[in-house]
Amino acid sequence: MLKLSLLPLDCELPRACPLLVLTPPPDSVPMAMGMENWTVRRGKFALLLALCSVFMLLILSFPDIRLLVPRLFRPLPPSADPAPNLACGAVADQTITPLAHTKHLLVSAFADRREGKFDVRIIGMFRRDSVQPLRCVFCCSNRTLAAGQSASKTPARVLTHSDHFGFPYGATDVLCRIPGGCLATHVTLVPEGHGPDATALNRTFLPIRNQGGGGAASLPQLNLTVCISNLFGDYNNVLQFTQTLEMYRLLGVNRVVIYNTSSGPDLSRLLHSYSQEGFVEVVPWPIGRHLTPSRGWQPTLFPGDIHYYGQLTTLNECSYRYMERSRYVLLNDIDEIITPYRHGDLVAALTSLQQQHPKAGVFLIENHIFPKIHFEPSGRFHRRQWEGVPGVNILEHIYREEPNRAVHHPYKIIVQPRSLQQTSVHSVLQSFGEVVQVPPDVCRIVHVRVPLQGHLTLDQLHVDQRLWDFSERLVPRVDWALRRAGLLRSEVTTPS
């Protein structure tokens, strides 16, 4: 009689040995040969071979069947091919990365071939009084480096932004050229001539974004993206925040990007809810770990290392982050709503403006203050459901200051991001397209905040109820968003 034997468990399957072996019992062969009919023996042997063949076919065709008999199998040894990784060194895992042996900070890197001989733009925050010659160091996917070898290097061009408001640190761009024959995936900087640990394996690299090929080019294209520069100081203005986001949704915005240093507990819950939905992208901005940020724009009044929590850097970074994904990018603050007055939404307004100004790449929108100290008298939008929600109810504030155009009056910006090179808060520093100031009767900023001209009396203000035109859709959407985040007790229905 033939015996079916399993191989020992230390056998490496299936490379080194067969799965099953047919062996006759050593003491029974002569007896079996003499007592059994050859036809019967042959039939049993054929049956066992058939069963073994079926079993092996199942193993090869359905590897997961091994889960049914786990003790019969040991995991295969890892493949000799290396797993995909960065051969040059570590990859930055934070939004802000200190640059070794300098006083500078790196944020992100983007493919940017708009300026002739350069291929990559690195965005960072540099100490302005200690800028030294730098070299760009690239990690090339088609080159594997051993320890002690140096990655591909090219000279760097450092461009400190002209707007820094007198603070020691300022937003800075570094332009790099990719060396010939290098399929660059990551980049970093190194001081010119620096040697003690200049090997590639000792550096922290930034991934080069916006290169396409399964990256940004394959993502859905957006019409409108809003970039909110910074949340800080445990910001918890939940009601105004929700109203602003839902207004932007009604105005045709596809994505809101927020750079968050710190937010209050209620707003954090709301951000998490919007992030899960996909409407909001929250970018961590832990600038306090690296610098002492100023809470204002005047260093004499608000001392620190950098202007307003690095606002200029975040606005530029956001524009490049969405350069290949969004047709337009709006750069403003969370308490501002860029609002069309002749069109039903911002997409229609921008389409009309672009037709009138086909070479325009930048649109400046005039800021209009709605003082939050003055309330609409009827109480039409004073809703009891919102009384327990922290923050300002923008629908209650319909009185608007007339801008004093005899002095500097701020604008905020809508850009075609591929036209932008460098931006400040209220103006673009460098761009490729024309700059257009949009008339306020076409589009203006609704900015509910403390008064800018506090001496104005109520009868010197304009009544502006433009936001009320959206109230029938806005109110249920705000209720829904607050309810979803667990911030509204009353029952509300999902908006249509």
Side-chain angles (χ1 to χ4, degrees), residues 192-447:
E192 185 77 58
H194 185 74
D197 65 342
T199 62
L201 296 176
N202 290 326
R203 303 190 184 106
T204 300
F205 284 77
L206 303 175
I208 302 173
R209 302 171 183 261
N210 293 354
Q211 296 205 79
S218 65
L219 296 171
Q221 295 301 300
L222 311 173
N223 278 322
L224 287 168
T225 297
V226 174
C227 295
I228 304 299
S229 55
N230 302 82
L231 296 183
F232 59 88
D234 294 326
Y235 187 84
N236 205 45
N237 188 351
V238 173
L239 184 55
Q240 183 171 1
F241 186 96
T242 311
Q243 291 172 329
T244 300
L245 291 185
E246 294 303 330
M247 266 300 300
Y248 273 132
R249 198 196 298 266
L250 293 175
L251 292 175
V253 169
N254 308 112
R255 179 70 49 81
V256 176
V257 185
I258 295 174
Y259 291 75
N260 187 18
T261 298
S262 67
S263 54
D266 301 308
L267 191 63
S268 295
R269 292 172 63 181
L270 191 69
L271 282 174
H272 179 70
S273 176
Y274 275 113
S275 298
Q276 284 189 316
E277 177 196 0
F279 184 58
V280 169
E281 178 184 1
V282 179
V283 180
W285 191 246
I287 191 168
R289 298 179 190 172
H290 309 279
L291 301 174
T292 301
S294 170
R295 297 178 65 92
W297 64 273
Q298 295 171 288
T300 55
L301 299 178
F302 304 96
D305 293 321
I306 194 166
H307 160 267
Y308 213 55
Y309 285 80
Q311 180 184 30
L312 295 174
T313 306
T314 59
L315 291 176
N316 282 273
E317 204 276 346
C318 189
S319 298
Y320 280 90
R321 179 181 287 252
Y322 278 82
M323 180 174 287
E324 303 296 334
R325 297 182 57 190
S326 190
R327 183 182 176 196
Y328 293 100
V329 169
L330 290 64
L331 306 173
N332 66 342
D333 295 332
I334 191 56
D335 57 355
E336 300 170 341
I337 304 173
I338 295 179
T339 309
Y341 276 67
R342 290 187 188 174
H343 302 85
D345 57 51
L346 282 169
V347 176
L350 288 168
T351 300
S352 176
L353 286 167
Q354 200 72 68
Q355 290 172 350
Q356 298 172 46
H357 308 279
K359 296 183 179 180
V362 178
F363 297 98
L364 301 180
I365 313 298
E366 193 174 64
N367 190 24
H368 288 250
I369 305 298
F370 289 64
K372 64 180 182 180
I373 62 173
H374 300 299
F375 290 80
E376 186 274 324
S378 74
R380 173 181 175 184
F381 291 103
H382 182 82
R383 306 182 72 240
R384 295 190 63 181
Q385 296 96 318
W386 294 348
E387 288 180 356
V389 180
V392 176
N393 180 357
I394 61 176
L395 294 175
E396 293 187 287
H397 305 288
I398 62 171
Y399 299 103
R400 172 172 54 84
E401 294 181 3
E402 182 65 23
N404 183 2
R405 297 181 178 86
V407 298
H408 171 72
H409 186 66
Y411 290 78
K412 288 297 174 70
I413 304 165
I414 301 177
V415 299
Q416 290 185 5
R418 289 202 58 80
S419 297
L420 181 70
Q421 294 168 281
Q422 295 180 357
T423 188
S424 185
V425 180
H426 304 297
S427 63
V428 168
L429 303 179
Q430 296 180 21
S431 66
F432 292 107
E434 295 178 357
V435 178
V436 173
Q437 289 188 1
V438 178
D441 63 331
V442 174
C443 195
R444 66 170 65 116
I445 297 175
V446 175
H447 190 181

Side-chain angles (χ1 to χ4, degrees), residues 77-149:
S79 170
D81 298 328
N85 61 359
L86 185 59
C88 297
V91 179
D93 59 357
Q94 301 291 325
T95 314
I96 302 173
T97 303
L99 179 60
H101 308 290
T102 72
K103 297 180 180 180
H104 310 322
L105 301 168
L106 305 182
V107 178
S108 50
F110 300 91
D112 185 5
R113 296 177 175 87
R114 298 171 300 165
E115 295 195 38
K117 61 181 181 180
F118 296 105
D119 303 297
V120 172
R121 183 182 299 256
I122 299 173
I123 293 177
M125 294 173 281
F126 279 30
R127 175 90 184 189
R128 296 188 296 110
D129 61 3
S130 64
V131 176
Q132 68 267 63
L134 300 170
R135 294 185 73 83
C136 306
V137 185
F138 288 94
C139 183
C140 311
S141 63
N142 55 332
R143 299 175 186 172
T144 301
L145 302 180
Q149 289 184 315

Side-chain angles (χ1 to χ4, degrees), residues 436-466:
V436 173
Q437 289 188 1
V438 178
D441 63 331
V442 174
C443 195
R444 66 170 65 116
I445 297 175
V446 175
H447 190 181
V448 179
R449 47 154 284 175
V450 297
L452 186 64
Q453 305 174 63
H455 62 281
L456 296 178
T457 60
L458 194 61
D459 59 351
Q460 294 176 298
L461 303 176
H462 301 278
V463 175
D464 187 332
Q465 300 175 347
R466 175 57 173 154

